[in-house]
Amino acid sequence: GTSCGGGAAGAQGKNGCRGGPSRWEAHTEGTGAKRMAVGSQPRISSAGTQVAFITAPPSAYHSQARGAQDNPESHVAIADLASGKVTILRDIPSDSSFGPVFSPDGKSIVFSSRREFFRDLNVIKEDGTGSRVIVKGTEIGHPMYYSPCWAPDGQSIFCHNARTICQLGLDGAILAKWDIDKIAPDGMTGSISVSPDGNRLLVSNEYRKNSEAPPPSLWSFDLATQQSTRLVTPKELSVSEGCWLDKDNILFQSGAAEESDEPAPRPAIYRMSLDGKNLNLLVTNGLNPTVSTP
C-alpha cells in the first residue's frame, strides 16, 4: 500500500501520516506527497524537518499491543526530510520501542518501550544519547501509559492509562489527572493531542467491534474550565487519531485502526473545523496524522 503525510511549508505547517508500511509527508491540502522511509507510527517535528518513527511494520506493533513475545525488533528512528537520511537510535536498552514523539524544540523524543510484560515511558535526546526512564511500568502503583504528547512549553507530557488522562513532569511526577469517563463518556481513549496554545486536549474515543461502548468520537477538553465538547463528525466515518492543525481546525483518521485485523474501509485522513464544517478528504489510505507548527 501507499503511505502518506501532509503538511504545508507555510502558514499551516506540515503533517505526517501513514498508509501501509512507509512514512510520507505532504501538504495539508493533500498534495505533494513524498515517501521518506519504511516503518510505522510517524510523528513529525515542530520545525517540519524530521520525522520520528519506529522501524517495525504495523503488524509488529499489533503483536506488541497483544503482548506477543515473538514480535520482531522495533527501534526508534529519525528521517531527515531534506536529505532523506535515516538514523536509528541504538542507545536504548530495549529492542521493542514504539510511539516516539518530538519535543516542541526538537531536542528530545518521548517514547514507550516494552520490558518483559511491562511498558516504560522514556525520553531520549534527538542525537540518540541520554536515554532515561520517566515512568517505569509495574503491576502496582505505576500503570502503563499510552499516547504520550508534549505540552507546548516542552516541560511536561500528557498521556493516559485505562482510567485517567495524566499530565506528567519529566521526572515522572503526576502534575494533574482527569477521569477519562468525564471527558469522553464510556469510551476507550485512543490518542491525545494538545492544542497549539496548550489550553485544550483533543481526545479520541475509539470503538471496537462487539463493544458496548458508543460509536467512535472526538472530544475537545478545556483544561481551564474542565468542560468537554463532542465534535460533530459524519456518522458514516469511524473517527480516531485526531490532532490539532491550528486553534480552529483539526485532522483526524477514519477507517481501519493501525492495530486492527478486521476488514474495514481503507483508512483516510480528513481535515475539519471544530464546528464540524469544512470537512475535506486530504489523503486516502493514510493513518496517524501529525502536524508541524506554522
Side-chain angles (χ1 to χ4, degrees):
T2 60
S3 7
C4 61
Q12 295 174 350
K14 296 181 179 179
N15 110 44
C17 57
R18 83 141 188 105
S22 305
R23 313 305 93 217
W24 291 61
E25 65 91 15
H27 299 295
T28 47
E29 295 84 0
T31 62
K34 180 178 69 175
R35 180 171 177 168
M36 300 178 302
V38 175
S40 54
Q41 300 181 354
R43 291 293 184 271
I44 199 165
S45 65
S46 295
T49 58
Q50 296 178 306
V51 171
F53 64 98
I54 61 170
T55 57
S59 58
Y61 173 73
H62 187 22
S63 298
Q64 291 170 342
R66 288 185 169 179
Q69 298 301 303
D70 57 350
N71 53 285
E73 291 187 5
S74 174
H75 298 281
V76 175
I78 297 175
D80 182 82
L81 295 184
S83 66
K85 179 182 178 181
V86 173
T87 302
I88 299 176
L89 307 187
R90 300 290 187 181
D91 188 24
I92 295 175
S94 173
D95 287 332
S96 181
S97 299
F98 42 98
V101 185
F102 275 107
S103 61
D105 63 6
K107 295 181 179 180
S108 299
I109 297 172
V110 64
F111 66 98
S112 298
S113 64
R114 183 171 294 279
R115 176 180 45 81
E116 296 179 338
F117 298 102
F118 308 115
R119 182 191 298 242
D120 297 334
L121 189 63
N122 315 270
V123 67
I124 191 170
K125 293 181 180 178
E126 178 268 344
D127 63 3
T129 63
S131 175
R132 65 180 178 84
V133 176
I134 298 176
V135 177
K136 189 174 183 178
T138 62
E139 289 182 321
I140 301 175
H142 293 287
M144 294 185 290
Y145 288 113
Y146 302 86
S147 305
C149 62
W150 293 82
D153 63 5
Q155 299 303 307
S156 61
I157 294 166
F158 291 89
C159 52
H160 73 87
N161 55 38
R163 294 176 297 275
T164 59
I165 293 176
C166 298
Q167 183 178 10
L168 304 178
L170 298 183
D171 59 355
I174 298 177
L175 306 179
K177 60 182 180 179
W178 304 271
D179 189 328
I180 288 178
D181 283 342
K182 293 181 179 179
I183 298 175
D186 300 318
M188 180 173 63
T189 300
S191 65
I192 305 170
S193 177
V194 187
S195 62
D197 60 10
N199 295 330
R200 291 169 293 173
L201 300 181
L202 182 64
V203 180
S204 70
N205 179 359
E206 296 189 0
Y207 171 79
R208 292 291 178 267
K209 189 175 181 180
N210 299 323
S211 169
E212 295 180 358
S217 54
L218 294 173
W219 298 76
S220 175
F221 179 61
D222 190 298
L223 295 172
T225 66
Q226 306 288 289
Q227 297 297 311
S228 63
T229 303
R230 181 171 180 164
L231 304 186
V232 179
T233 55
K235 294 181 179 180
E236 66 272 16
L237 295 181
S238 177
V239 300
S240 63
E241 291 288 330
C243 71
W244 295 91
L245 179 58
D246 54 44
K247 65 182 182 65
D248 298 316
N249 298 276
I250 64 169
L251 301 181
F252 67 85
Q253 170 188 314
S254 173
E258 183 166 352
E259 68 273 18
S260 175
D261 282 335
E262 299 176 357
R266 282 186 177 273
I269 303 299
Y270 287 82
R271 173 178 176 172
M272 187 185 76
S273 55
L274 290 178
D275 58 10
K277 302 178 181 179
N278 304 315
L279 179 72
N280 293 297
L281 171 62
L282 295 185
V283 183
T284 58
N285 197 24
L287 297 175
N288 306 133
T290 63
V291 181
S292 67
T293 56

